[in-house]
Amino acid sequence: MISESRCPVEDGELYVRSTGEGPLLLLIAGGLGSADTFRAMTKLLADDYTVVTYDRRGHFRSTDTSTGPVSVPKQAEDAYAVLQHVGGGPASVFGTSAGALIGLDLVARHPDAATTLVAHEPPAIQLLPDALGWLDEANAQVRLAQAGDLMGAFKRFTDGIAGAALPELRAIRLPNEEDWKRLFGRELAEILDYLPDLRALRRARTEIFPVAGVGSRGHYHYHPAKILALELGLPFTEMPGAHLAPQRNPAQFTEALRDLLEG
């Protein structure tokens, strides 16, 4: 049975969806932050977990009346509010891409909220030696979007992600345009400028698994998880698929996620 509700947060409300029975498992989406990202995974997990997903603030069915940049810490407080909304936890948490950064900040700020965090390909480029180059590229994408070339910004964004690039098409309409405008205009720079609080993460008793997809080797979003594991003195784990494996390879990916959560 699926339960839908709305969680009040500062400057808005979040659409929250819960299903299944068992220990609490919060899934935090990357990209445009849609709960629908995890539809296939949720079906595979619902027999053993109470699976909670939500639309990130300002995206799809969630609202946001604030203006200006949306920081990772603000989104981490949203995730914490969702956990309180559904019963308080502690919970297992899985985050992918930007959702992994949000999960890391959640653990740093509220270490008692999560027993386990699986952080899949967090784009923590501030951990990389060539961070400035990646920030310059993100700023170039933001400028394209601000100049009205949303498709150009989108193509440059997806070209850098393993397995995400689109085939060459003469004409295509970008779905969810308002959500992409929000990502480029208010979120992307904040996400890529975020440096995880390594000191707080070392102190936390949460079991943290930095992971990346075998299909992402050689891409910028693969390396931060490896560096994070080294910084925290934790093992690094390769997962099936590439950056979008939670959507494109859900069965194989979910099996590997179960191994981490239950092993």
Side-chain angles (χ1 to χ4, degrees):
M1 181 178 177
I2 297 175
S3 171
E4 297 177 301
S5 60
R6 304 199 61 84
C7 171
V9 292
E10 182 182 6
D11 300 318
E13 283 189 336
L14 305 179
Y15 167 83
V16 179
R17 186 162 60 214
S18 303
T19 188
E21 295 183 359
L24 192 61
L25 173 59
L26 176 67
L27 308 181
I28 308 176
L32 300 185
S34 172
D36 292 341
T37 297
F38 298 119
R39 278 192 179 274
M41 286 183 62
T42 296
K43 290 179 181 178
L44 295 167
L45 291 162
D47 286 343
D48 300 300
Y49 295 92
T50 299
V51 184
V52 178
T53 59
Y54 67 100
D55 292 343
R56 295 206 321 265
R57 66 165 52 234
H59 287 289
F60 300 98
R61 293 150 293 194
S62 292
T63 63
D64 180 17
T65 60
S66 71
T67 59
V70 182
S71 70
V72 171
K74 186 164 191 174
Q75 299 208 57
E77 291 299 332
D78 287 349
Y80 183 67
V82 170
L83 285 176
Q84 299 303 302
H85 177 71
V86 298
S92 295
V93 178
F94 168 76
T96 182
S97 193
L101 287 185
I102 294 167
L104 288 166
D105 200 73
L106 169 68
V107 169
R109 292 171 174 274
H110 303 283
D112 294 334
T115 55
T116 304
L117 169 66
V118 179
H120 176 244
E121 300 196 6
I125 62 170
Q126 290 288 8
L127 296 174
L128 300 178
D130 55 349
L132 288 179
W134 291 112
L135 282 173
D136 286 345
E137 171 59 25
N139 289 329
Q141 295 169 21
V142 169
R143 288 194 296 271
L144 277 175
Q146 290 175 338
D149 187 5
L150 187 62
M151 181 60 71
F154 170 77
K155 287 182 176 179
R156 287 183 66 156
F157 178 79
T158 56
D159 282 348
I161 296 174
L166 293 174
E168 286 296 325
L169 298 174
R170 291 187 177 181
I172 183 173
R173 179 177 175 82
L174 187 62
N176 307 312
E177 284 191 358
E178 292 305 313
D179 294 278
W180 283 106
K181 288 178 183 177
R182 180 182 177 88
L183 177 68
F184 288 118
R186 299 185 59 187
E187 297 177 345
L188 184 62
E190 293 290 314
I191 289 166
L192 297 184
D193 198 39
Y194 173 78
L195 178 65
D197 188 339
L198 299 175
R199 182 176 298 179
L201 292 172
R202 292 187 190 108
R203 291 197 304 263
R205 287 178 288 183
T206 304
E207 190 171 17
I208 301 172
F209 295 96
V211 305
V214 64
S216 293
R217 291 176 184 171
H219 291 260
Y220 79 91
H221 45 79
Y222 177 91
H223 302 294
K226 290 191 74 173
I227 297 173
L228 182 66
L230 286 171
E231 291 282 357
L232 300 180
L234 298 172
F236 166 74
T237 304
E238 281 195 330
M239 300 286 276
H243 194 67
L244 300 180
Q247 299 106 282
R248 297 189 177 177
N249 310 96
Q252 192 177 13
F253 190 88
T254 301
E255 183 179 357
L257 177 60
R258 280 183 182 276
D259 289 342
L260 292 178
L261 294 176
E262 299 170 6

